[in-house]
Amino acid sequence: MALELSPDYISVRDLIALHGYEWVGARVRAARLKAGISIREAAESAQVSKNTLVRLERGEAVHNSSLEQILWGLKLTPRRLQSIGSQDSILAVDRASEAKWFDMRSFVTWTVSESIPADVVAAADSNSTFLPFYHLRHMRERAGFQPFFIRLLSATEKRFHRGEELIYVLKGEVRVEVGDAAVTLGPNDALLFHATEPHCYIPLSSEAPEIFCIIFSTGKEDHFPD
């Protein structure tokens, strides 16, 4: 007797035909991250190679059998994947009211350093003895990048670390020195550079510049959150 399928049954072949690999890969990634599973763990559970899962999440084609195994490993069916709403793609939200400020000059680790009250930061000017910044703490849990907001009251010390660094100027004017090179940035200007070169930020405007900084790295380091 032929196997009778549920009326709402959908195969992985149907899933790809309806939505394409880019859509499927994005939904698989959202489901994996929501479950708190690393790529390596998900690949091991599905009994596929890590590269296969990486390719899928990038929107590249994989064998139907591999996609079936990946969904099985994540405890998903094609129908369930199709029903995942856009809200599942929202990975983290950071509210300004939750910001925890630190002094970049005296910062040691996230668990040891003393935080600065928000009202003290708000009243700070170029005469203040600290350099305030806060980390988007919910974003850090996604790994792979580290986002910061900095009120640049004075120049930072030259430092270097692994990865690439992106700076986006929200307000004011900033000089960024990277090794022997220097770039001046104003509002809505951005710069991406190799953070392995010694670099620093220098405020040029009378009003403290505000900048958004993202560090991209494949692993944690001392200056990253615990």
Side-chain angles (χ1 to χ4, degrees), residues 40-194:
R40 185 179 300 279
E41 291 170 334
E44 290 178 353
S45 178
Q47 298 179 12
V48 299
S49 71
K50 179 181 175 182
N51 288 339
T52 296
L53 182 53
V54 168
R55 288 201 309 274
L56 176 63
E57 292 193 0
R58 286 177 178 169
E60 300 175 12
V62 299
H63 292 298
N64 287 347
S65 58
S66 296
L67 177 54
E68 288 177 343
Q69 287 181 243
I70 290 169
L71 295 182
W72 174 80
L74 291 172
K75 297 180 173 58
L76 293 171
T77 64
R79 180 62 70 186
R80 169 59 186 138
L81 188 73
Q82 197 175 38
S83 69
I84 292 176
S86 58
Q87 68 273 11
D88 292 285
S89 295
I90 298 176
L91 303 179
V93 176
D94 272 277
R95 301 293 185 185
S97 58
E98 300 175 336
K100 193 171 184 180
W101 294 87
F102 293 94
D103 179 5
M104 186 177 290
R105 289 174 173 168
S106 61
F107 179 80
V108 181
T109 69
W110 302 93
T111 55
V112 173
S113 300
E114 185 176 348
S115 60
I116 306 172
D119 58 338
V120 174
V121 173
D125 56 27
S126 58
N127 295 317
S128 300
T129 58
F130 56 87
L131 188 57
F133 78 99
Y134 73 78
H135 189 282
L136 280 70
R137 63 188 182 90
H138 295 302
M139 306 293 179
R140 83 183 190 187
E141 297 169 4
R142 307 320 311 175
F145 67 94
Q146 301 291 323
F148 303 85
F149 177 83
I150 303 170
R151 284 198 66 200
L152 199 62
L153 301 178
S154 58
T156 65
E157 297 179 358
K158 275 205 169 183
R159 59 172 56 185
F160 63 91
H161 49 82
R162 186 172 52 191
E164 297 178 343
E165 191 160 335
L166 168 70
I167 171 177
Y168 182 92
V169 179
L170 300 168
K171 183 174 71 175
E173 193 174 31
V174 179
R175 175 184 171 91
V176 183
E177 295 185 355
V178 183
D180 297 327
V183 179
T184 297
L185 304 174
N188 302 318
D189 288 341
L191 174 68
L192 178 68
F193 58 90
H194 288 293

